[in-house]
Amino acid sequence: DRLSNELRDDFQIEILDSPEAVAERVDMVFIEALDGRSHLDYVKRTAPFKRPTFIDKPLAASVADAREIFRIAEEGGFPVMSCSSLRYADNLVEALGEENSGRILSCYAFGPISEDATHPWFFQYGIHTFEIVMAVMGPGCVEAQALKNDEQDVVALRWENGRVATMQGMQVGHKAFGVTIHREKGFRSLDLRMNDRPWYASMLDAIMKSLPHGKACIDPAETIEIIRMLEASAESRRTGRAVKI
């Protein structure tokens, strides 16, 4: 295809015929397939080579697959990391470091979403906004309640310590990502497009500082919780009821 030809012809990247052949030749594996349902199979095929592995979002299309991926990695003794590049947006990282403004009480995050036949609702593109929420609030989400119409979805998320967050997925309109962070001493609203550096470049920095050294900078339990948040939100969207996480 066009991308393969470009990699081979313009960048002299060797194109191999299987995930196993790639894993044998490299120091670190990147699984970039768009369909999250395929990621567990790729991990099974590359795990014997014990390479540090980055899996592009979504890690998996179910909590069961996510747990199995991390089980295989733990058993094989190699780190696995998966995330959205949005959590590494420079202005978000800077805002999260403003601890002199007090602890974070809540947040409101928004971004585009789209229906995809290969994934449960929210998994393909909504995961970006859920990752922003997790980066701000941290783990401990216990309940999701979704509201929807033909143009947008809104998910209210509750944490075990009583804090709340709101995720808004835009089906129509602009394609921007943003977040408002509320702290004890004030708030800050961020347009995540307003960065000089691409999100993916900042994420690659984080990957290279961790995976080659045998660790992931995001706890597997946190990644599994995000997948569960996505599942619970999709279930709430279908049923109209709050769903425990």
Side-chain angles (χ1 to χ4, degrees), residues 87-109:
R87 71 158 59 213
Y88 291 105
D90 289 344
N91 58 353
L92 176 58
V93 172
E94 178 191 357
L96 293 179
E98 296 176 347
E99 297 181 357
N100 60 336
S101 296
R103 67 185 180 93
I104 292 172
L105 303 176
S106 66
C107 76
Y108 157 67

Side-chain angles (χ1 to χ4, degrees), residues 124-184:
Q124 177 56 32
Y125 221 69
I127 189 172
H128 286 300
T129 310
F130 280 86
E131 284 261 3
I132 294 167
V133 170
M134 179 63 79
V136 173
M137 301 291 288
C141 186
V142 296
E143 187 178 75
Q145 171 79 66
L147 299 173
K148 67 180 179 69
N149 61 29
D150 292 337
E151 296 189 345
Q152 59 188 310
D153 286 81
V154 176
V155 181
L157 300 159
R158 182 171 61 84
W159 265 248
E160 58 191 357
N161 56 9
R163 296 183 304 150
V164 295
T166 305
M167 173 273 185
Q168 183 170 359
M170 309 292 293
Q171 298 178 46
V172 299
H174 67 76
K175 304 297 183 183
F177 289 96
V179 61
T180 297
I181 303 170
H182 295 278
R183 291 181 179 269
E184 291 174 304

Side-chain angles (χ1 to χ4, degrees), residues 27-61:
D27 298 317
M28 185 163 61
V29 168
F30 282 70
I31 297 175
E32 299 288 332
L34 291 176
D35 189 345
R37 300 172 303 175
S38 69
H39 292 168
L40 175 57
D41 181 62
Y42 281 120
V43 170
K44 289 178 177 178
R45 295 175 67 178
T46 59
F49 301 91
K50 303 183 185 300
R51 307 301 192 211
T53 300
F54 177 79
I55 303 175
D56 204 0
K57 61 81 193 166
L59 169 71

